[in-house]
Structures are given as C-alpha cells and as structure tokens.
Amino acid sequence: MAPISPGAGPPPRRLLRGAERLQHLVGHRLLVGVTIREPDGEVVSRTQFCGVVLEVADGVVVVDKDGEPALLPSDDLAYTPAPRGTYRLAGSGEVIEDPDYVTTWDVVPEPPGTVVVPESEVCPDDDRPAADDADDADRPAGDRTTQA
C-alpha cells in the first residue's frame, strides 16, 4: 500500500474511492484518535477529539476541530459506527456523549532516506487488479497505520 505523503501529488486511488464511500459521514459527529510514532514505534504524541464532519473530498475527511479543519485520510475501512455511550478524552478529560462514528490512526513517519514512489508509477491504471484493496482485507476496521 502506498503511504500517504502530504504535498506528494494527487491522493492514492484507494483514498479517492474511500471519499466516494464516506459521503454519509458529512454532518455527523466523529470521535477521532491519532497516535504519532517514531519510525521505531515509540509514541511521540496522542490526540483525541470529537468534531462534525464538514466535507469528504479529494481523498480526505475534513472534521471541525475546535473551529479549525482537521484532515484525515478517507480510507473507508477506518470509519465505523460508534457504540452508544459516554467517552472521556484522555488528554482533556472532555466527556463525549454518543458520537456517531469513530476512527483511530497510527501515524509513522518514513525513515530518513526513504523514497516515495507515486502509486501511479507502481501500478498503472491498466494493470491495476479489479479487487478493492485486498491488502487491507486482513486488518480490522479502525486500525490503520498511515505513513506520513
């Protein structure tokens, strides 16, 4: 799976497909957890917040985070309905009642010297398998590691 790299051109096709499939999130409350790790796996920071999904387009889910847009990858397998209940955010202690959806992300930067090859150069359109993201099938929903 091609990593997600800000400023590296158009988003991978899997995120564009995800954006099409995630339109139902717009207007709903999304509980978000993001863990930033060192390349060796050590946790650098953790962020949790809940916000309304403003837009899903161009490979990203745009969430209102305290009046500012937060951008998340539109991998449709990473967004699941949230079980009803009360959630307490670890960093702030804020209590969230019955969010609509939940997503969690582990963000791991690429090791120094890594060369990112655009997905279009790895698998040209006419050679792309018809199956949808078979490499994601063995990972549980909401458990995505994204390289930045």
Side-chain angles (χ1 to χ4, degrees), residues 1 4 14-15 21-22 33-37 72-80 102-108 132-148:
M1 175 185 321
I4 300 166
R14 69 184 169 84
L15 295 184
R21 295 173 182 159
L22 292 171
V34 179
T35 301
I36 309 292
R37 298 181 184 274
L72 301 169
S74 61
D75 183 339
D76 60 313
L77 297 176
Y79 297 83
T80 58
V102 63
T103 188
T104 60
W105 295 89
D106 275 329
V107 180
V108 182
D132 279 346
D133 299 315
D135 56 331
D136 280 344
D138 59 344
R139 291 190 294 171
D143 185 18
R144 301 286 177 254
T145 300
T146 302
Q147 293 187 333

Side-chain angles (χ1 to χ4, degrees), residues 37-43 108:
R37 298 181 184 274
E38 293 288 348
D40 65 5
E42 181 181 341
V43 174
V108 182

Side-chain angles (χ1 to χ4, degrees), residues 1-35:
M1 175 185 321
I4 300 166
S5 300
R13 283 184 293 274
R14 69 184 169 84
L15 295 184
L16 293 174
R17 281 193 310 270
E20 293 170 5
R21 295 173 182 159
L22 292 171
Q23 292 300 314
H24 66 278
L25 294 177
V26 176
H28 290 279
R29 292 183 340 143
L30 178 65
L31 182 59
V32 179
V34 179
T35 301

Side-chain angles (χ1 to χ4, degrees), residues 81-93:
R84 292 186 54 82
T86 301
Y87 297 79
R88 183 176 303 278
L89 303 184
S92 67

